[in-house]
Amino acid sequence: DTEVTQTPKHLVMGMTNKKSLKCEQHMGHRAMYWYKQKAKKPPELMFVYSYEKLSINESVPSRFSPECPNSSLLNLHLHALQPEDSALYLCASSQGPTGATNEKLFFGSGTQLSVL
Amino acid sequence: RKEVEQDPGPFNVPEGATVAFNCTYSNSASQSFFWYRQDCRKEPKLLMSVYSSGNEDGRFTAQLNRASQYISLLIRDSKLSDSATYLCVVVPTGANNLFFGTGTRLTVIP
């Protein structure tokens, strides 16, 4: 199993809604990531979990709240988002933390989020 | 200065052509390099790692030039299915993050 599974694939939400994005991998990877990608731009790192602990928060607004319940699961809780938060949200995993030699990222297919 | 600079293109080439992309990086201590491919509205997928001695995978050749701090991707005999955005990725030594280039858009024309 070399997949990173993300749900939902598409999400439309209002600015007052609370929703969650989910990510799962069963490759035994110990690092998991959330990226945000706008159209025609590269992915931007949001959060990194290493061995189930938050190791990087790239100054992401508190309306985005990550959670890592166990080594296979990663959630992103969304609350009071703004229309400019509309983007493709990508989850990724790697065998070890980034920075170790030749760590490759495996991406999920993403959640296309629209905030109205 | 950006960590990674990449020509955004677009590159429009005919089928069968050879095309090359470059990507420059600013941190001389960078240790790991990759090329990813991303199709429209899809996730990035690893195309190949880039090794110091250069490496080849079928029609794709990746090279690293540490002295000039750039990596390259050469695609020979382009196919229509090669149309995508190609992202270079650089991991500095000791970094806990990796850095994406802006991506180069390739369109192979029949």
Side-chain angles (χ1 to χ4, degrees):
Chain A
D1 184 0
T2 56
E3 279 193 351
V4 177
T5 304
Q6 278 188 252
T7 55
K9 292 194 181 305
H10 302 276
L11 179 62
V12 179
M13 59 187 291
M15 290 190 284
T16 58
N17 292 158
K18 285 186 179 180
K19 296 286 184 183
S20 297
L21 309 185
K22 297 185 183 300
C23 178
E24 190 169 2
Q25 57 87 14
H26 294 288
M27 295 179 278
H29 287 178
R30 304 315 301 266
M32 295 186 76
Y33 310 75
W34 279 115
Y35 282 87
K36 172 183 176 180
Q37 187 175 25
K38 292 279 209 181
K40 299 186 179 182
K41 299 286 187 183
E44 295 175 30
L45 182 67
M46 299 175 72
F47 302 104
V48 180
Y49 273 83
S50 179
Y51 295 91
E52 301 165 48
K53 294 193 186 308
L54 183 65
S55 60
I56 294 179
N57 176 342
E58 289 287 338
S59 302
V60 179
S62 59
R63 57 185 184 269
F64 295 91
S65 175
E67 179 196 18
C68 189
N70 60 54
S71 60
S72 299
L73 295 175
L74 185 67
N75 299 323
L76 186 64
H77 303 297
L78 314 173
H79 174 55
L81 294 195
Q82 304 297 310
E84 60 264 28
D85 296 322
S86 299
L88 179 67
Y89 288 84
L90 293 159
C91 173
S93 70
S94 63
Q95 189 167 2
T98 313
T101 302
N102 253 352
E103 284 301 340
K104 305 173 184 66
L105 285 184
F106 294 83
F107 285 90
S109 56
T111 295
Q112 188 64 54
L113 173 68
S114 297
V115 181
L116 304 180
Chain B
R1 186 180 172 188
K2 289 183 180 178
E3 291 280 347
V4 182
E5 301 263 14
Q6 189 175 0
D7 183 347
F11 284 64
N12 299 317
V13 302
E15 266 187 293
T18 295
V19 62
F21 312 132
N22 281 344
C23 192
T24 58
Y25 58 94
S26 59
N27 188 334
S28 60
S30 296
Q31 64 170 14
S32 300
F33 308 88
F34 307 94
W35 284 102
Y36 280 75
R37 170 198 169 124
Q38 186 170 25
D39 293 290
C40 190
R41 298 180 184 274
K42 301 283 188 182
E43 74 275 21
K45 292 187 178 178
L46 180 67
L47 181 64
M48 57 199 302
S49 302
V50 186
Y51 301 118
S52 296
S53 55
N55 47 300
E56 191 173 303
D57 183 1
R59 297 181 294 107
F60 298 84
T61 300
Q63 291 192 312
L64 167 63
N65 185 319
R66 284 194 184 275
S68 301
Q69 294 183 208
Y70 74 85
I71 62 172
S72 64
L73 178 68
L74 181 79
I75 306 175
R76 290 183 300 277
D77 188 22
S78 300
K79 311 290 185 192
L80 296 176
S81 57
D82 293 334
S83 297
T85 295
Y86 291 84
L87 295 152
C88 63
V89 172
V90 174
V91 185
T93 302
N96 51 12
N97 188 11
L98 49 78
F99 295 92
F100 281 87
T102 51
T104 299
R105 179 79 184 273
L106 171 67
T107 301
V108 181
I109 304 164

